[in-house]
């Protein structure tokens, strides 16, 4: 049983000091974080479409709903989850926001890798650094909400020069028993100097009802480290998913991100990357497959704060029926960030005649010696290609799926880790297999 | 096997075929020749079922299991599954779709239609390799996206590879010989000849007589202004080669 059992909140009103239980074990920093988050949230409030950052994604329907905290933390759909987990990997599973001993395997971790539950984490210098990387004043109201409501979370620490061979798979499972549940997944990752790691963070839902997942992940990548960070969003059909991933890159570090969205009714993925020191390389890949009334909004923001950094982003999407996608790619190149290379491309395939795409590059360049390009395309399937496939026995619906699959195949092939690639492929295939 | 009667076809309101008759029996090879714009490719596309070609009059009957069926009422994939195959004049490039995966999907659709067991990737790979040898093709071709960055000759050969895999009853080869050098032409023609049986037929659409030295037709038809204006044996092709189309 949780102390928040039976409690609920409405986001349109000011958040009160929620009694999360007065267990003595709750560390002081966490109380402070909640308090700052609450104040920040109350100051900002739920944005409307008049807010430029939320122009194409209306979250006001969320504001009036009454959200309950999860009541149960046992998983009913065990087989589904087991099918999704690879026992060879380091699995960290949270069910309805609470760490699950049953499904996680964090024993016998490689030396230099530690995984802890935030609630039991005493004061830790690394953690403190991470928490304060993006201060509570950072303008992200849903990150503030996550802080305000934070109960459990995962802290992954990779020491300097540690090479983590096995994929770290953090899985947030939503399986709420009551309607309009709010879940606040929180992950903090610190990657040491010259360390190397592959991380997949999955959000999966096994629920037929509506729920709200308000996720936040903060990552610090130190000097010369190399990280692959993938986010897979396969929430339930009725789910709202608003998540922010904030990454801080130090000198000469390498990062490849991949974001796959196939689930949920409304999704907002914020991806903020700050290139604080020179010599960093960053790849941002994204893929979304939407159908019916689904809505996905990918907001990326890459901040070049130092010279000689490269960022390269490619987001691709498939839209069917009445679905909607938003891509907003902001690139900020500060005055100091000379010799910046920054590329951005968003490509969309529209299968339905009633889908809508709003794609917007947003470049703010203050340095004078930079190379920045951006582009966006929206296209439909080629009739000649469809006829060619049909003349080879392949019926219309399968032809559409094969071509849709072909449209996104190149981006999936860029995933450096085979095991992650297979998993994302599995999710993507089930999304593509229902296209017509 | 195929009976086309009084076929009238238009594209975007422009009439292309104006009363075409053609009968093809099992075991036969029909060459269809004619000047540019005479309607050769239109005939090929209509048989395969391209949606842009509108049949305003006439019928195309096709015999399946001793029963005549109306080809014009069928979707292109249904026609294909009944053994109608079109080798495209300009094979379409499909980025992102692996040739082997595409061919297996096509082959397995056929298996399912015929109630036969589908092939798994390993079985199919072996099967496909044997067909590659037949056409003297390099293995790497099947691991590339369909026709993407293929040379003209490779694309045409890839069409015949697909024909070899799908083993059609009625193959319509639309200018498969155009743009091939003599070596490639010989390989493609040999491939077609090896696939020839008593119970299948070939309609060979061509601009040049050259390929008919390798694939010997039973009939040669001359198409002009959307109608067949002359039909004869293989000697007609030589006459055309010598005298052009103007005398017809």
């Amino acid at each position: 049983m949780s102390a928040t059992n039976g409690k609920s909140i409405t986001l349109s009103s000011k958040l009160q000091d929620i009694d999360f239980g007065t267990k003595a074990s709750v560390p002081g920093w966490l109380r402070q974080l909640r308090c700052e988050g609450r104040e920040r949230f109350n100051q900002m409030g739920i944005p409307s479409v008049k807010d430029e950052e939320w122009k194409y994604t209306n979250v006001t329907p969320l504001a009036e709903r009454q959200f309950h905290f999860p009541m149960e933390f046992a998983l009913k759909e065990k087989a589904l989850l087991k099918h999704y987990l690879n026992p060879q990997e380091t699995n960290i599973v949270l069910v309805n926001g609470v760490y699950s001993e049953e499904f996680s395997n964090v024993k016998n971790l490689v030396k230099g890798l530690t995984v802890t539950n935030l609630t039991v984490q005493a004061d830790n210098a690394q953690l403190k650094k991470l928490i304060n990387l993006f201060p509570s004043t950072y303008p992200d109201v849903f990150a503030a909400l996550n802080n305000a409501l934070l109960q459990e979370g995962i802290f992954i620490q990779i020491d300097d020069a540690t090479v983590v061979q096995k994929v770290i798979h953090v899985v947030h499972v939503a399986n709420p028993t009551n309607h309009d549940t709010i879940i606040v997944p929180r992950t903090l990752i610190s990657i040491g100097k010259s360390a190397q790691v592959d991380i997949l963070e999955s959000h999966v839902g096994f629920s037929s009802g509506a729920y709200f997942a308000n996720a936040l992940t903060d990552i610090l990548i130190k000097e010369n480290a190399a990280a692959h960070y993938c986010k897979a969003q396969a929430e339930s059909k009725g789910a709202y998913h608003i998540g922010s991933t904030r990454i801080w890159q130090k000198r000469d570090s390498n990062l490849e991100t991949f974001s796959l969205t196939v689930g949920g009714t409304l999704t907002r993925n914020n991806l903020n990357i700050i290139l604080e020191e020179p010599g960093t390389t960053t790849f941002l890949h994204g893929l979304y497959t939407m159908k019916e009334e689904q809505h996905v909004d990918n907001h990326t923001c890459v901040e070049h704060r130092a010279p000689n950094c490269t960022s390269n982003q490619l987001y691709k999407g498939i839209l069917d029926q009445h679905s909607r996608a938003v891509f907003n790619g902001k690139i900020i190149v500060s005055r100091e960030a000379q010799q910046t290379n920054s590329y951005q491309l968003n490509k969309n395939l529209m299968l339905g005649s009633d889908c809508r795409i709003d794609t917007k590059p947003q470049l703010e360049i203050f340095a004078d010696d930079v190379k920045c390009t951006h582009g966006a395309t929206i296209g439909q399937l080629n009739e000649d290609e469809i006829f060619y496939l049909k003349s080879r026995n392949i019926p219309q619906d399968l032809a559409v799926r094969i071509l849709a699959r072909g449209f996104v195949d190149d981006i999936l092939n860029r995933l450096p880790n085979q095991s992650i690639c297979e998993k994302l492929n599995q999710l993507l295939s089930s999304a593509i297999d229902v296209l017509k | 096997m195929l009976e086309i009667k009084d076929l009238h076809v238009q594209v975007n309101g422009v009439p292309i075929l104006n009363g075409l008759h053609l009968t093809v029996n099992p075991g036969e090879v029909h060459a269809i020749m004619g000047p540019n714009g005479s309607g050769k490719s239109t005939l090929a596309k209509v048989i395969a079922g391209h949606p842009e070609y509108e049949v305003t009059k006439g019928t195309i009957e096709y015999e399946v299991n001793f029963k005549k069926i109306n080809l014009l009422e069928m979707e292109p994939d249904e026609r294909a599954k009944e053994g109608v195959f079109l080798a495209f004049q300009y094979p379409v490039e499909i980025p992102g779709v692996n040739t082997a995966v595409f061919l297996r999907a096509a082959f397995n659709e056929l298996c399912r239609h015929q109630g036969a067991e589908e092939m798994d990737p390993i079985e199919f790979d072996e099967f496909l390799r044997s067909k590659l040898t037949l056409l003297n093709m390099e293995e790497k071709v099947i691991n590339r996206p369909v026709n993407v960055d293929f040379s003209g000759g490779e694309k045409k050969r890839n069409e015949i590879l697909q024909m070899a895999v799908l083993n059609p009853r009625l193959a319509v080869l639309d200018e498969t010989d155009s743009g091939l050098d003599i070596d490639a032409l010989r390989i493609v023609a040999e491939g077609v000849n090896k696939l020839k049986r008593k119970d299948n037929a070939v309609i060979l659409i061509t601009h040049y007589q050259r390929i008919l030295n390798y694939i010997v037709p039973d009939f040669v038809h001359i198409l002009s202004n959307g109608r067949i204006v002359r039909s004869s044996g293989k000697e007609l092709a030589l006459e055309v080669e010598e005298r052009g189309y103007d005398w017809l």
Side-chain angles (χ1 to χ4, degrees):
Chain A
M1 289 290 271
S2 157
T4 51
N5 223 339
K7 294 195 175 89
S8 66
I9 53 165
T10 309
L11 301 179
S12 59
S13 27
K14 297 258 181 270
L15 287 181
Q16 305 301 314
D17 189 0
I18 298 157
D19 178 15
F20 290 103
T22 44
K23 273 191 286 182
S25 60
V26 174
W29 62 265
L30 182 53
R31 287 170 207 256
Q32 196 190 336
L33 192 70
R34 283 176 188 157
C35 181
E36 284 172 6
R38 190 174 66 239
E39 280 167 15
R40 189 73 194 156
F41 178 84
N42 287 342
Q43 223 171 60
M44 294 178 83
I46 295 286
S48 78
V49 288
K50 284 181 195 148
D51 184 328
E52 189 60 29
E53 287 290 300
W54 294 88
K55 192 174 169 187
Y56 301 107
T57 297
N58 185 6
V59 287
T60 47
L62 281 177
E64 296 308 323
R65 280 172 107 126
Q66 196 180 17
F67 285 107
H68 308 272
F69 291 99
M71 308 264 271
E72 274 186 58
F73 306 96
L75 185 64
K76 289 178 192 70
E77 312 282 355
K78 289 184 186 186
L80 276 175
L81 178 63
K82 282 203 171 123
H83 179 65
Y84 187 60
L85 296 177
N86 178 349
Q88 302 302 316
E89 292 170 353
T90 302
N91 296 312
I92 304 160
V93 179
L94 294 99
V95 177
N96 296 335
V98 171
Y99 178 74
S100 160
E101 192 86 50
E102 184 186 354
F103 294 106
S104 306
N105 61 338
V106 291
K107 295 193 178 83
N108 305 320
L109 295 179
V110 66
K111 192 174 169 288
L113 168 65
T114 24
V115 176
T116 35
N117 192 334
L118 279 184
T119 43
V120 296
Q121 182 69 48
D123 252 351
N124 171 306
Q126 292 299 331
L127 181 66
K128 231 176 199 163
K129 205 168 171 183
L130 255 178
I131 294 267
N132 294 321
L133 263 184
F134 294 89
S136 60
T137 49
Y138 197 84
D140 183 338
V141 62
F142 287 99
L145 181 65
N146 182 288
N147 279 344
L149 304 180
L150 186 61
Q151 293 189 65
E152 288 208 21
I154 293 299
F155 174 41
I156 299 168
Q157 195 179 336
I158 297 141
D159 293 346
D160 292 351
T162 302
V163 176
V164 184
Q165 300 280 5
K166 283 192 205 173
V167 169
I168 300 176
H169 190 186
V170 183
V171 191
H172 303 280
V173 187
N175 189 204
T177 42
N178 50 339
H179 258 262
D180 288 358
T181 295
I182 184 166
I183 300 166
V184 285
R186 178 62 178 270
T187 308
L188 294 155
I189 304 166
S190 171
I191 302 167
K193 288 177 188 164
S194 299
Q196 202 176 311
V197 66
D198 297 288
I199 300 165
L200 170 62
E201 194 165 21
S202 294
H203 299 265
V204 293
F206 303 131
S207 156
S208 53
Y211 62 89
F212 174 27
N214 178 212
L216 181 58
T217 300
D218 287 337
I219 305 173
L220 171 62
I221 305 173
K222 294 185 190 167
E223 272 176 58
N224 203 38
H228 298 139
Y229 172 79
C230 304
K231 172 179 174 178
Q233 196 270 72
E235 302 274 18
S236 300
K237 219 174 158 181
Y240 294 85
H241 177 100
I242 298 179
S244 293
T245 305
R246 307 185 297 192
I247 306 176
W248 202 282
Q249 273 186 263
K250 296 285 191 184
R251 180 183 296 267
D252 299 326
S253 62
N254 274 288
L255 166 69
E256 287 193 39
T257 66
F258 192 99
S259 158
L260 174 75
T261 304
V262 294
T265 183
L266 184 144
T267 302
R268 164 78 168 228
N269 296 315
N270 291 323
L271 176 58
N272 299 322
I273 302 178
I274 294 174
L275 313 177
E276 192 202 11
E277 293 178 347
T280 63
T281 308
T282 313
F283 284 91
L284 299 81
H285 302 303
L287 207 55
Y288 41 93
T289 304
M290 298 277 102
K291 59 175 192 304
E292 293 167 2
E293 311 284 335
Q294 281 183 297
H295 178 117
V296 61
D297 179 346
N298 279 297
H299 258 67
T300 66
C301 177
V302 182
E303 234 184 289
H304 284 260
R305 290 191 181 173
N308 292 303
C309 295
T310 297
S311 68
N312 196 334
Q313 46 185 319
L314 175 62
Y315 271 67
K316 278 190 172 188
I318 302 170
L319 295 168
D320 197 10
Q321 293 160 318
H322 317 289
S323 59
R324 214 177 145 175
V326 181
F327 176 79
N328 190 104
K330 191 191 271 187
I331 298 168
I332 304 169
V333 182
S334 71
R335 206 183 309 272
E336 297 75 37
Q338 300 292 359
Q339 306 278 317
T340 286
N341 285 313
S342 183
Y343 310 98
Q344 181 189 95
L345 183 60
N346 173 229
K347 295 178 92 167
N348 296 282
L349 177 63
M350 277 173 79
L351 299 178
S353 51
D354 192 31
C355 16
R356 177 173 166 165
I357 294 153
D358 294 284
T359 174
K360 187 172 132 200
Q362 212 181 331
L363 274 58
E364 296 173 12
I365 300 171
F366 302 99
D368 53 16
D369 183 15
V370 299
K371 254 194 272 179
C372 288
T373 63
H374 63 87
T377 65
I378 298 168
Q380 285 167 317
L381 284 183
N382 181 321
E383 286 298 325
D384 285 333
E385 291 177 12
I386 292 179
F387 176 64
Y388 192 72
L389 293 181
K390 285 176 87 173
S391 78
R392 300 295 182 256
N393 306 334
I394 295 167
Q396 175 83 23
D397 52 351
L398 183 58
V400 169
R401 285 172 212 157
I402 287 176
L403 294 175
R405 176 82 223 197
F407 175 73
V408 296
D409 212 48
D410 61 332
I411 201 167
L412 209 61
N413 288 339
R414 292 185 197 202
L415 269 172
N417 184 287
Q418 188 59 29
S419 157
I420 293 179
C421 185
E422 278 166 24
K423 210 152 273 152
L424 297 187
N425 223 332
Q426 188 184 330
L427 293 176
L428 183 69
S429 294
S430 36
I432 286 183
D433 283 350
V434 295
L435 298 174
K436 287 189 191 88
Chain B
M1 154 188 278
L2 183 79
E3 199 167 355
I4 301 175
K5 283 185 195 159
D6 194 27
L7 190 66
H8 289 70
V9 176
Q10 58 184 34
V11 183
N12 300 325
V14 180
I16 308 282
L17 295 183
N18 307 299
L20 183 139
H21 294 265
L22 181 68
T23 303
V24 178
N25 294 307
E28 294 177 349
V29 175
H30 289 250
I32 295 184
M33 304 182 74
N36 287 329
S38 58
K40 300 191 299 290
S41 282
T42 298
L43 176 62
K45 292 268 174 60
V46 168
I47 294 173
H50 195 289
E52 267 176 37
Y53 295 76
E54 190 196 345
V55 176
T56 51
K57 201 179 163 193
T59 55
I60 304 182
E61 284 185 331
Y62 179 66
E63 203 176 283
V64 180
N65 296 328
F66 308 107
K67 250 175 63 187
K68 282 186 177 168
I69 55 174
N70 181 355
L71 214 53
L72 296 176
E73 279 180 354
M74 295 162 73
E75 281 289 307
D77 57 301
E78 293 170 335
R79 300 181 195 202
K81 278 180 270 199
E82 293 299 349
V84 177
F85 178 86
L86 169 64
F88 282 62
Q89 183 182 4
Y90 304 112
V92 180
E93 295 186 12
I94 310 183
V97 179
N98 174 285
T99 302
V101 172
F102 155 66
L103 278 175
R104 192 167 76 89
F107 183 79
N108 280 340
E109 283 297 321
L110 191 64
C111 293
R112 205 171 308 148
H113 179 72
Q114 294 173 344
E117 207 166 306
E118 294 176 29
M119 277 195 196
D120 64 40
I122 298 162
E123 267 178 292
F124 185 75
D125 191 58
E126 221 165 277
F127 171 69
L128 190 53
R129 272 164 214 276
S130 68
K131 304 295 176 193
L132 282 169
T133 329
L134 184 78
L135 287 157
N136 218 346
M137 283 172 81
E138 285 182 68
E139 270 185 32
K140 63 177 188 206
V141 168
I142 56 171
N143 295 318
R144 281 157 51 184
V146 180
N147 292 325
V148 176
D149 297 329
F150 281 31
S151 69
E154 277 178 318
K155 282 183 185 171
K156 296 295 177 84
R157 252 192 269 186
N158 192 23
E159 293 294 289
I160 306 305
L161 172 71
Q162 294 174 37
M163 180 178 161
V165 167
L166 301 174
N167 194 15
R169 289 179 61 230
L170 174 68
V172 183
L173 312 183
D174 188 6
E175 298 208 20
T176 301
D177 56 324
S178 300
L180 290 187
D181 62 39
I182 194 72
D183 294 326
L185 180 75
R186 197 178 291 135
I187 290 164
V188 162
E190 276 170 15
V192 173
N193 285 332
K194 280 182 196 154
L195 297 168
K196 199 73 213 58
R197 294 188 318 260
K198 273 200 307 241
D199 59 345
N200 63 16
V202 175
I203 297 176
L204 191 64
I205 292 170
T206 179
H207 200 76
Y208 309 103
Q209 183 271 340
R210 195 178 55 162
I211 193 171
L212 304 179
N213 294 333
Y214 300 94
I215 303 173
V216 181
D218 300 295
F219 301 94
V220 175
H221 310 277
I222 309 295
L223 193 61
S224 177
N225 290 321
R227 308 168 69 148
I228 287 175
V229 293
R230 186 173 292 231
S231 297
S232 188
K234 62 181 177 197
E235 64 285 351
L236 180 59
L238 290 168
E239 211 173 333
V240 166
E241 182 78 355
E242 228 167 76
R243 302 173 59 185
Y245 292 106
D246 295 343
W247 59 281
L248 288 159

